[in-house]
Amino acid sequence: MSKRTLLVTSALPYANGPIHLGHLVEYLQTDIWVRFQKQRGHVCYYVCADDTHGTPIMLRAISEGISPEALIAKVGKEHLADFTEFGIVFDNYHSTHSPENQALSRLIYERLRDGGHINSRSITQAYDPVKEMFLSDRFIKGECPKCGAADQYGDSCEACGATYSPTDLKNAVSVLSGEKPITKDSVHYFFNLANFSDMLQDWTTAGHLQPEVSNKLKEWLEQGLKEWDISRDAPYFGFEIPDAPGKYFYVWLDAPIGYMASFKNLCDKQGLDFDAFWAKDSNAELYHFIGKDIIYFHALFWPAMLKGANFRTPSAIFAHGFLTVNGEKMSKSRGTFIKARTYLEHLNPEYLRYYFAAKLSAGVDDIDLNFDDFSQRVNADLVGKVVNIASRCSSFIHKRFEGQLSDVCSEPELFQQFVDANQTIAEFYESREFGKAMREIMALADKANQYIDEKKPWLMAKVEGQERELQQVCSMGINLFRLLMAYLKPVIPVLATEAEKFLAIESQPWPVTATPLIKHAINPFEALMTRVEADKIQAIVDASKENLQATAPTVKAKQFEPIAPTIEFDDFAKIDLRIAKIIKAEHVEGAEKLLQLTVDIGDETRNILAGIKSAYAPEALEGKLTLVIANLAPRKMRFGLSEGMVLAAGPGGKDIWVLSPDEGATAGMRVK
């Protein structure tokens, strides 16, 4: 096996809040992959940093009465402490507010500018006359211009899904001051992403991305790439643009450069060659782990920036899905929006490392943390199957043989089966199919337990003259346990280290050429892992709810939206409600929530885009009846034209009901 040289990053956590379990999906996935590479003997560096710039950081610092620098220093320490306790080990953890990042951001910008990839022009923006600052879309609220829903942000409506310009909002106000925004012109700087269309067309289809990500980018590329606004006006916490006083780099420009900056900081500390990893002709491998919500920035902007600035592009970008808890989005009201620190106060972090590993695949699908499944899986797999092998066998080894393992391997073929499994398990780890790797390892654990059950050492111990066979059987069990821990080491490193102490062995490499421990003394067994206790999980949920109550005055609970303005009966009478038969239902490519329905409303058919994918498979809908608003004006959406609206009931997620219970109804029947 030839040695490889790798540089690996995770997306940078924003320094405006704590780490929560949703964040940890990514950092644990990356850490497991990096640990596997290092265990295989490869040269692998894992770097990360806090993402520290932007208006939210500036405003939070003002609200706390401290400087932005003090805020990001405090949050950075908290983030790193949480990561460390979850066993996530970075070779370097840095900050985007650093000399290295400022220098590299300036260098990349100047190379892009000199290459003809930057232009500037005046744009009109919303401006807060009280705070004397320009407002991004998220700092403006008002009534949706389409449906009239109150308290909507300046770019999209959470009630009806419409997108619009902040200037289209009705009764718009600044979130910062409550004042009505005015419009004001300002010169902004833009990165000409379209200059790299051909390069990106090739790069995004050359195996650097997962197939589903590549397909999504194909849609965006076909629509044409737009200029990217890379500047923000003062006041702003960030780096000033070199040739533009009072203008600052938008946070998303210098954030990915933070990967380079963190590694540069490591290079300066350890005497590493920065160019060997980032120069255009680099032979090192470069991998980014990210969430699927930031694919656009990483798979289009970032490679184009690197190419335009004469740096190498990533070997691959690995995107993952989001975390749901008990089948739903993390919820503060349900106590399932769980901070990393809250979890750490109650449960062993290696439980979560294993559970996430058992759920993760190479795709971008969301994964679910189901508390019942979490308890059962950890208790059954880690405690019941793996640790139990050491517990069962070590007691006989110490009571009868003074901790000494047998002088022979009684089952060499079985031992070799476990060693030979290393190739399959390694392939699963390498391809990030962690769930498959865990299933393969647990199948070996089942085989080890089956061997012990068949040999029945507890009965041998009662029969005089079977001491040698008893020692051999228990020694075999210990040797199989050792291999299982080698395979699980990237996932549960603390347990693996404790197992190595128990076995009195050095840190285990990947067991390609492992041989059994013969005439070897092991240490007395101590409980390596205890079972998950239900009351601990409940304590986490309760603590998360208490956290919500403590912040309740500043948190708006979305499920209690204000009642919309009243309407007259004549307005309601204008709505044409009809029973419609669903003729055809199909997925909408690229859409996470939408299904496309072809419905018969009696005198014609309509195409309707409905956000019900979480509750219904297309095949479950065809031939069924539903209630639609037939005279709703067609609405052009991102994924096509919707010619009506399906009425639904329920709190959301999987609990959405759209089917009519009246099987005697017919398509086109009006509802009065």
Side-chain angles (χ1 to χ4, degrees):
M1 180 177 60
S2 58
K3 279 200 173 184
R4 299 157 59 190
T5 302
L6 307 91
L7 175 58
V8 184
T9 76
S10 295
L12 312 186
Y14 199 44
N16 194 34
I19 302 301
H20 56 70
L21 298 196
H23 291 130
L24 288 173
V25 172
E26 177 169 316
Y27 302 98
L28 290 175
Q29 182 187 39
T30 316
D31 182 77
I32 290 167
W33 198 73
V34 168
R35 285 178 179 274
F36 164 72
Q37 301 296 349
K38 291 182 177 182
Q39 192 180 0
R40 295 270 280 176
H42 301 311
V43 177
C44 185
Y45 298 102
Y46 179 20
V47 301
C48 196
D50 260 20
D51 182 6
T52 58
H53 290 154
T55 303
I57 299 290
M58 179 182 71
L59 295 176
R60 180 179 167 187
I62 292 172
S63 71
E64 294 189 14
I66 58 177
S67 68
E69 289 82 0
L71 172 65
I72 63 177
K74 178 185 72 170
V75 174
K77 289 179 181 177
E78 293 170 354
H79 283 180
L80 187 55
D82 288 346
F83 288 141
T84 300
E85 289 193 47
F86 268 98
I88 299 162
V89 177
F90 303 102
D91 291 283
N92 199 55
Y93 195 81
H94 205 37
S95 167
T96 58
H97 193 66
S98 67
E100 298 91 347
N101 202 32
Q102 186 167 22
L104 284 164
S105 296
R106 181 179 186 126
L107 175 65
I108 289 175
Y109 169 77
E110 289 175 344
R111 288 183 179 180
L112 293 175
R113 180 198 63 194
D114 296 345
H117 305 303
I118 303 292
N119 63 43
S120 62
R121 68 173 185 274
S122 182
I123 64 172
T124 301
Q125 295 175 273
Y127 185 81
D128 188 322
V130 175
K131 295 293 184 180
E132 297 183 332
M133 62 183 291
F134 287 96
L135 299 169
S136 66
D137 298 344
R138 306 306 284 177
F139 289 102
I140 305 169
K141 281 194 172 183
E143 297 169 8
C144 173
K146 298 292 195 302
C147 72
D151 206 25
Q152 298 303 309
Y153 286 112
D155 55 353
S156 63
C157 176
E158 294 183 352
C160 73
T163 58
Y164 41 73
S165 167
T167 55
D168 296 331
L169 273 179
K170 297 177 182 177
N171 301 317
V173 296
S174 165
V175 172
L176 305 181
S177 68
E179 188 73 16
K180 181 179 179 180
I182 62 173
T183 57
K184 193 173 181 179
D185 291 344
S186 173
V187 173
H188 271 228
Y189 290 74
F190 297 84
F191 174 48
N192 295 323
L193 186 62
N195 291 2
F196 299 89
S197 293
D198 291 342
M199 170 259 168
L200 290 170
Q201 193 80 45
D202 293 338
W203 190 86
T204 58
T205 56
H208 302 293
L209 306 167
Q210 294 132 300
E212 55 266 58
V213 173
S214 183
N215 291 337
K216 183 61 187 175
L217 292 178
K218 182 180 178 182
E219 294 178 23
W220 288 335
L221 286 163
E222 288 174 349
Q223 293 170 8
L225 298 174
K226 299 177 181 178
E227 292 179 320
W228 180 35
D229 189 342
I230 61 168
S231 67
R232 293 296 184 266
D233 294 279
Y236 191 80
F237 182 59
F239 296 139
E240 196 168 31
I241 298 176
D243 54 359
K247 307 292 179 179
Y248 291 79
F249 287 129
Y250 174 43
V251 59
W252 262 110
L253 181 124
D254 67 65
I257 298 172
Y259 301 139
M260 303 174 75
S262 183
F263 186 65
K264 181 66 168 65
N265 180 257
L266 178 66
C267 289
D268 292 343
K269 289 189 289 190
Q270 296 190 3
L272 302 175
D273 184 355
F274 178 83
D275 290 337
F277 288 81
W278 287 100
K280 190 166 59 175
D281 58 354
S282 168
N283 291 319
E285 300 173 47
L286 172 63
Y287 299 102
H288 299 308
F289 284 75
I290 64 167
K292 63 182 179 182
D293 56 326
I294 53 176
I295 286 171
Y296 200 102
F297 291 100
H298 280 80
L300 293 179
F301 293 145
W302 181 229
M305 286 168 57
L306 290 168
K307 181 72 173 179
N310 205 33
F311 286 106
R312 57 89 49 84
T313 53
S315 305
I317 296 173
F318 302 137
H320 61 82
F322 301 137
L323 178 70
T324 58
V325 179
N326 291 338
E328 299 179 348
K329 289 183 179 180
M330 292 194 297
S331 164
K332 290 181 178 178
S333 63
R334 289 186 172 92
T336 55
F337 189 94
I338 301 168
K339 296 178 183 177
R341 180 55 47 185
T342 304
Y343 177 100
L344 288 167
E345 289 170 352
H346 299 279
L347 283 177
N348 184 340
E350 299 223 319
Y351 295 158
L352 194 68
R353 289 183 66 101
Y354 176 74
Y355 188 74
F356 279 177
K359 306 279 276 190
L360 280 164
S361 71
V364 295
D365 296 331
D366 296 346
I367 68 170
D368 184 53
L369 168 57
N370 178 283
F371 287 135
D372 290 337
D373 181 48
F374 170 80
S375 299
Q376 292 167 8
R377 192 175 300 227
V378 171
N379 291 342
D381 290 358
L382 295 184
V383 181
K385 291 182 181 180
V386 178
V387 172
N388 190 45
I389 296 170
S391 175
R392 297 169 80 183
C393 296
S394 63
S395 59
F396 293 113
I397 294 294
H398 276 284
K399 288 178 182 177
R400 298 295 188 94
F401 311 105
E402 299 180 340
Q404 192 81 7
L405 298 182
S406 172
D407 57 0
V408 297
C409 176
S410 59
E411 302 283 349
E413 291 184 2
L414 179 59
F415 184 85
Q416 193 59 43
Q417 285 179 26
F418 274 56
V419 173
D420 291 344
N422 88 84
Q423 184 174 348
T424 299
I425 296 170
E427 288 171 358
F428 285 145
Y429 270 122
E430 179 66 40
S431 61
R432 306 175 324 285
E433 292 286 0
F434 296 165
K436 292 181 179 179
M438 296 308 102
R439 288 193 287 276
E440 192 76 17
I441 295 166
M442 289 307 141
L444 292 177
D446 286 336
K447 189 174 290 188
N449 279 295
Q450 182 181 359
Y451 166 78
I452 295 168
D453 289 341
E454 288 174 353
K455 295 296 183 179
K456 296 179 174 55
W458 55 91
L459 295 182
M460 288 183 186
K462 298 177 181 179
V463 179
E464 189 175 343
Q466 290 196 343
E467 284 81 3
R468 179 169 174 76
E469 187 177 358
L470 172 64
Q471 185 183 26
Q472 290 176 355
V473 168
C474 291
S475 296
M476 187 65 195
I478 294 294
N479 272 294
L480 298 181
F481 168 76
R482 170 197 164 205
L483 291 174
L484 293 172
M485 293 312 305
Y487 293 138
L488 286 168
K489 191 171 183 177
V491 178
I492 44 175
V494 173
L495 179 59
T497 300
E498 291 302 310
E500 288 164 353
K501 292 178 183 176
F502 155 66
L503 295 168
I505 59 174
E506 298 295 321
S507 178
Q508 291 200 84
W510 194 252
V512 177
T513 58
T515 56
L517 299 173
I518 302 294
K519 294 183 181 179
H520 178 82
I522 62 174
N523 290 314
F525 178 82
E526 296 180 3
L528 295 173
M529 179 172 279
T530 58
R531 296 172 63 83
V532 179
E533 299 173 8
D535 61 329
K536 301 289 188 183
I537 293 176
Q538 188 58 49
I540 290 173
V541 173
D542 291 343
S544 299
K545 287 180 179 178
E546 289 169 6
N547 177 63
L548 171 69
Q549 293 163 2
T551 58
T554 60
V555 176
K556 177 178 173 58
K558 289 177 63 178
Q559 64 268 38
F560 299 116
E561 296 286 358
I563 296 173
T566 57
I567 61 174
E568 299 298 326
F569 180 80
D570 289 344
D571 294 321
F572 176 71
K574 296 176 184 177
I575 300 174
D576 184 355
L577 295 177
R578 295 197 190 185
I579 299 293
K581 185 174 183 178
I582 302 172
I583 302 171
K584 185 178 181 182
E586 55 190 333
H587 295 289
V588 178
E589 186 176 353
E592 294 183 10
K593 300 178 181 179
L594 296 178
L595 293 180
Q596 179 168 312
L597 308 180
T598 302
V599 300
D600 178 2
I601 60 171
D603 48 3
E604 62 177 294
T605 60
R606 298 273 185 88
N607 285 316
I608 296 177
L609 296 175
I612 57 174
K613 190 173 180 178
S614 61
Y616 293 96
E619 58 271 16
L621 292 170
E622 293 183 2
K624 300 296 180 65
L625 300 175
T626 188
L627 187 63
V628 303
I629 301 176
N631 63 334
L632 188 67
R635 182 159 69 94
K636 185 172 177 56
M637 301 174 69
R638 177 180 170 191
F639 296 100
L641 187 69
S642 186
E643 303 172 308
M645 178 181 287
V646 171
L647 297 188
K654 295 181 179 179
D655 295 327
I656 297 175
W657 296 281
V658 301
L659 300 180
S660 170
D662 186 359
E663 296 299 332
T666 58
M669 180 183 293
R670 291 178 181 268
V671 179
K672 299 187 182 269

